[in-house]
Structure formats: structure tokens, C-alpha cells
């Protein structure tokens, strides 16, 4: 709990120093527990926001883990963000083509296809477990609907 308060304080410090951190009306620094997502219109902007957060966390004794921190350029342009690593202070952050954030698969091409396929792959085993029940004539239609939902 104390960690969450400290991280919240650091995030607020970083946002205050950056005049609200907004991109197209959207907050550029999103946080849920210890998962932080920094949005930027360019690598330069991203580095500025990340540096502000690193400074704010360092002030209160927290350290950003370079091993757990990655970045991704999300664009329909195949040539966007050719840089493979971003360096902030003494840490180097690796570029990702896709990753899961709060259970959702994000890709650098802003494609939802991978997320749909991922959800189908996770749902198929469950469907096959109850497939015999759903095709049984012994159960009513209403009960099958309850099982399916």
C-alpha cells in the first residue's frame, strides 16, 4: 500500500512538471497499480516524459527497472520509430513490436487482429469443455444459454 502511495506521488510530480501531459486531449501518463504507460507523439516526447517520471521516482527513493521497462512505437507507418533502444539516464529500454498491457495485446501497427486471435485462443478450450453439454438434447435451451454465458 505504501508503494502505491509513493508511486502516485511520483506520477503527480511528473505530471505537474509537464503541464498536464496531454496528447490530442488524452492523458499521456496512464497508471494502474505498478503498470505505467507513457504516450508520446514522438520518441523525443516519450523520452521527456519518461525522464520526468524517472526523476520524480528517484526523488522519493524508487527506481525504474530497466529490465522490466520496454517501449513501443504505435503507428500505421512501417518506418516509424526505427530506433531499437532508448536511453534514459543510465538505463536502456528495449523496443517491442507487441506486448500485453492490463490483459490486452497491443501491437505497433495498432492492429486489433492479434487481440481477437488471443481471445479466441483462450476461449476455445473452454468452449470445447462444454461442447457436449451445449449439443445435448437432455438440457433445455435456457439452461444451455446460462452455461454458455
Amino acid at each position: 500500500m505504501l508503494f502505491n502511495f509513493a508511486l502516485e506521488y511520483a506520477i503527480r510530480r511528473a505530471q505537474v512538471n509537464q503541464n498536464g501531459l496531454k496528447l490530442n486531449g488524452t492523458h499521456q501518463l496512464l497508471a494502474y497499480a505498478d503498470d505505467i504507460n507513457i504516450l508520446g507523439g514522438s520518441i523525443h516526447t516519450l523520452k521527456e516524459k519518461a525522464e520526468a517520471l524517472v526523476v520524480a521516482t528517484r526523488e522519493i527513493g524508487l527506481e525504474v527497472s530497466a529490465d522490466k521497462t520496454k517501449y513501443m512505437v504505435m503507428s500505421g507507418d512501417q518506418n516509424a520509430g526505427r530506433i531499437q533502444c532508448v536511453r534514459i539516464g543510465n538505463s536502456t529500454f528495449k523496443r517491442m513490436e507487441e506486448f500485453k498491457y492490463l490483459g490486452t495485446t497491443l501491437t505497433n501497427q495498432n492492429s486489433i487482429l492479434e487481440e481477437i486471435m488471443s481471445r479466441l485462443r483462450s476461449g476455445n478450450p473452454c468452449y470445447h469443455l462444454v461442447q457436449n453439454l451445449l449439443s445435448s438434447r437432455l438440457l433445455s435451451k435456457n439452461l444451455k444459454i446460462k452455461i454458455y454465458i
Side-chain angles (χ1 to χ4, degrees), residues 36 68 132:
I36 299 173
K68 295 181 180 180
N132 289 338

Side-chain angles (χ1 to χ4, degrees), residues 2 12 14 20 50 56 64 69 72 80 96 110 136-137:
L2 185 58
R12 288 177 189 256
V64 175
T69 305
M72 183 171 63
M96 302 298 290
N110 293 327
S136 172
R137 293 177 185 238

Side-chain angles (χ1 to χ4, degrees), residues 4 6-7 16 30 40 58 76 80 89 104 110 129 135:
N4 288 340
L7 188 57
V16 167
L30 311 172
R58 194 171 289 144
T104 301
N110 293 327
L129 285 174
S135 60

Side-chain angles (χ1 to χ4, degrees), residues 108-122:
N108 64 342
Q109 298 297 311
N110 293 327
S111 171
I112 194 164
L113 180 61
E114 183 57 37
E115 176 62 18
I116 292 169
M117 296 307 293
S118 173
R119 288 183 186 220
L120 287 173
R121 282 190 299 271
S122 67

Side-chain angles (χ1 to χ4, degrees), residues 134 140-149:
L134 295 175
S140 70
K141 182 178 176 182
N142 287 338
L143 186 55
K144 289 179 185 180
I145 290 171
K146 286 180 181 179
I147 291 170
Y148 186 75
I149 295 174

Side-chain angles (χ1 to χ4, degrees), residues 75-112:
S75 174
D77 180 4
Q78 294 287 347
N79 296 321
R82 292 186 210 168
I83 302 169
Q84 291 302 311
C85 293
V86 169
R87 189 161 183 79
I88 297 174
N90 296 330
S91 302
T92 302
F93 304 126
K94 182 181 167 191
R95 180 177 176 196
M96 302 298 290
E97 301 295 319
E98 72 176 46
F99 69 96
K100 276 203 177 281
Y101 181 72
L102 300 180
T104 301
T105 303
L106 303 172
T107 68
N108 64 342
Q109 298 297 311
N110 293 327
S111 171
I112 194 164

